[in-house]
Amino acid sequence: MSGLVQRPGLILFCLAILIGSVAALWADVTPEMVTAASVVAIIAIVLGEQLPLRIAGRVIAPLTTAPALGLILSPLSFGGEAPSAWTVLAVVWLSILAGGLVARARGLSVVEGSLGSRFLGMVVTTLLARGIVSDGQTLVEWAFDERTHSALGALGLLVAAMVGGLVERGLDNVVVWLAERGGWRHVVAAEVGPLAGISAATVATGPLIALASPVLDWAATPLLTLPVLLSYLSVQRVVATRQALEEAVVALSRFSEITGLTRVGHVQRVADLSVAIGREMGADVVTLRAIERTALLHDVGQLGLREQLRGGATIHASTAEEATMARSVARVIAGTPQLAELTPYLDQVRTPFRRTREFGEHIPLPSRIVRVANAWDDITEGAVSARAQAVALERLHLGLGYDYDPEVVTALERAVAWR
């Protein structure tokens, strides 16, 4: 039970297994249902599970969701009878499960929470489209009825797909929120950007496949999934570019450790703690990225010092040494436009908080956070004992309002308490 609490995504996966198993038991699959259109949709779902997209800390499978929604919303009719909601849901579940098993067999990682939220979103769409009967018709039957205006029918299918998509994204965000134990603000903010774009395109493709299936038959799924595939490739390229930059920053941040200027693990601990503080303060995704990069690069300037700092701790640096480090790190990142925006943040890490009160000088939030996180790790030297943390807090409180921002120190205490 404790494992389930610590892994909320596993709870969603177990719920998906439960609902999928019930659907399989209640399903009424007949030989007439094995058509070219249904087989192509099943193959597309299985293949889609082999191409997950990792973006903004989430894992989505647009090439699974689009054909699955198309299958759920299509006017399926076998021998003059439409399959039940349980039957359609069982086919979708078994296809997703088969895709996940194939992915595992190929050595790919399968994120249980992502798979669970994806299927549960489809459960909601299936319920709306095929499980609710009004005036003797389900939503799918009403949408394709000759008496229904085609635009209204298409809108109804789109709404059903959108509600399911929102449920999927909501459940995925809950899992992330529980895992990170941060604020809702940065979790929801991660949905903006490429993730929102490809999610919207995926949700819209499902109804399009359904509307085109009476005319294009089995060809509707591959033809109308093609735009989602192109979006997938574009977003994948953006993600790969960002990842390459992040890896370059991490590699650069290790120079001070490799050369023995700082303690092993210091930079990464400062980065992790800085991000945790930023989340406690409600920083958005863009600011959190700037905080993390600033923390990773804050000690690179030590490469320009003639003499090594005692213990590699910048809290022992003189004013002249701090200025030298600031100039050195500025020269290092000057040739990288993507990192140029970090220059003022890295320069202001050395600025004591009192200058804000005494001279009205603006110190960016990333600089104030990294200054506190760096001082904490310099004092504790990575120790996690209660005594080491008590000593570090006492030292920080002595410099409260003078060296360190009180608001940041308060957020640090909350962040440390979570650990």
Side-chain angles (χ1 to χ4, degrees):
M1 182 62 69
S2 60
L4 289 177
V5 175
Q6 295 175 1
R7 298 177 60 187
L10 192 57
I11 298 177
L12 290 182
F13 184 63
C14 291
L15 182 58
I17 292 177
L18 178 61
I19 296 176
S21 300
V22 172
L25 290 174
W26 282 86
D28 183 18
V29 180
T30 62
E32 291 80 10
M33 295 180 183
V34 183
T35 64
S38 60
V39 171
V40 169
I42 290 171
I43 293 174
I45 293 172
V46 173
L47 292 177
E49 287 296 319
Q50 315 311 306
L51 298 170
L53 181 62
R54 298 179 180 273
I55 179 173
R58 278 78 165 161
V59 179
I60 60 176
L63 296 174
T64 289
T65 304
L69 289 176
L71 183 63
I72 292 169
L73 300 174
S74 292
L76 304 173
S77 179
F78 308 103
E81 293 186 6
S84 66
W86 287 117
T87 301
V88 175
L89 199 58
V91 171
V92 171
W93 166 245
L94 293 175
S95 301
I96 292 176
L97 191 59
L101 292 175
V102 171
R104 276 289 174 88
R106 295 177 57 233
L108 301 177
S109 62
V110 177
V111 181
E112 295 92 347
S114 171
L115 192 149
S117 61
R118 183 157 58 251
F119 177 68
L120 292 175
M122 295 175 191
V123 169
V124 173
T125 298
T126 305
L127 175 64
L128 294 175
R130 295 183 175 275
I132 299 177
V133 179
S134 178
D135 294 332
Q137 288 183 315
T138 63
L139 175 61
V140 171
E141 292 170 340
W142 172 81
F144 289 93
D145 193 315
E146 294 180 353
R147 296 167 295 179
T148 304
H149 193 284
S150 57
L152 288 177
L155 182 60
L157 297 178
L158 179 61
V159 169
M162 286 179 58
V163 172
L166 290 173
V167 169
E168 176 189 343
R169 302 305 326 131
L171 292 174
D172 221 8
N173 284 327
V174 169
V175 171
V176 173
W177 176 66
L178 291 175
E180 297 180 351
R181 295 181 178 181
W184 268 107
R185 181 180 175 183
H186 81 275
V187 173
V188 176
E191 293 289 324
V192 180
L195 180 58
I198 194 167
S199 296
T202 303
V203 167
T205 300
L208 287 177
I209 293 175
L211 292 168
S213 60
V215 178
L216 300 177
D217 195 32
W218 63 268
T221 297
L223 286 177
L224 293 174
T225 304
L226 184 59
V228 179
L229 175 60
L230 296 177
S231 299
Y232 167 89
L233 295 174
S234 299
V235 174
Q236 187 79 303
R237 184 175 180 180
V238 172
V239 171
T241 302
R242 288 182 178 178
Q243 184 176 354
L245 179 60
E246 296 300 330
E247 290 174 353
V249 171
V250 172
L252 187 61
S253 71
R254 296 192 60 203
F255 281 178
S256 59
E257 294 182 3
I258 294 173
T259 55
L261 294 174
T262 59
R263 296 182 303 277
V264 175
H266 165 74
V267 172
Q268 190 59 56
R269 288 194 301 270
V270 172
D272 293 341
L273 182 57
S274 296
V275 171
I277 294 172
R279 285 173 177 160
E280 289 293 334
M281 299 183 71
D284 57 33
V285 176
V286 176
T287 304
L288 285 176
R289 188 181 299 119
I291 291 171
E292 183 177 27
R293 291 177 178 175
T294 302
L296 287 171
L297 298 176
H298 81 280
D299 270 339
V300 172
Q302 291 199 39
L303 296 170
L305 295 177
R306 293 185 177 180
E307 296 184 5
Q308 182 178 351
L309 297 175
R310 179 160 56 92
T314 52
I315 58 173
H316 302 310
S318 65
T319 302
E321 288 172 327
E322 289 179 336
T324 299
M325 288 188 290
R327 289 194 298 271
S328 297
V329 71
R331 287 197 298 268
V332 170
I333 67 174
T336 309
Q338 294 87 347
L339 300 179
E341 63 179 16
L342 300 179
T343 301
Y345 301 153
L346 290 165
D347 180 64
Q348 295 279 17
V349 168
R350 63 193 175 102
T351 306
F353 183 69
R354 65 179 177 82
R355 295 186 66 86
T356 296
R357 293 180 172 177
E358 294 178 3
F359 306 107
E361 184 175 343
H362 172 68
I363 304 176
L365 180 62
S367 305
R368 288 180 277 135
I369 289 178
V370 174
R371 182 176 179 82
V372 170
N374 175 70
W376 171 271
D377 196 77
D378 279 347
I379 298 169
T380 62
E381 296 183 351
V384 295
S385 65
R387 176 173 174 76
Q389 293 186 357
V391 171
L393 279 176
E394 183 179 359
R395 289 278 300 275
L396 291 178
H397 283 158
L398 288 175
L400 209 62
Y402 185 86
D403 276 325
Y404 311 113
D405 182 351
E407 185 181 357
V408 175
V409 174
T410 300
L412 165 90
E413 295 182 47
R414 293 197 303 268
V416 172
W418 275 110
R419 297 187 170 191

